[in-house]
Amino acid sequence: NSICDEGAGQLADVLGECKALAHLDLGHNGIGAEGAGRLAGVLGKCSVLAHLDLSRNGIGDEGAGRLAG
């Protein structure tokens, strides 16, 4: 997989409608700070999400800061 920032943004566009999503593995997908920021904007709508794997991506400090809010 390699969805990169563009794919993460597209996923973010629909993630808020996935009310039963409990596990999301996006590890090793080429996601950077921009994609992490797009995901961060919608994660609050995923109330049952218990596990999110973003390992082995290039989100860096900027992307981590966006995810942390």
Side-chain angles (χ1 to χ4, degrees):
N1 293 341
S2 188
I3 65 170
C4 301
D5 287 334
E6 181 179 344
Q10 291 173 352
L11 181 60
D13 289 343
V14 297
L15 258 181
E17 299 183 28
C18 298
K19 304 298 182 194
L21 183 65
H23 183 102
L24 181 58
D25 184 348
L26 294 174
H28 198 33
N29 267 289
I31 299 171
E34 180 183 338
R38 293 283 305 274
L39 291 170
V42 72
L43 288 176
K45 297 179 182 178
C46 301
S47 60
V48 298
L49 185 63
H51 178 85
L52 173 63
D53 182 358
L54 288 170
S55 64
R56 300 177 313 276
N57 283 291
I59 65 172
D61 291 341
E62 181 183 349
R66 291 180 181 186
L67 288 165

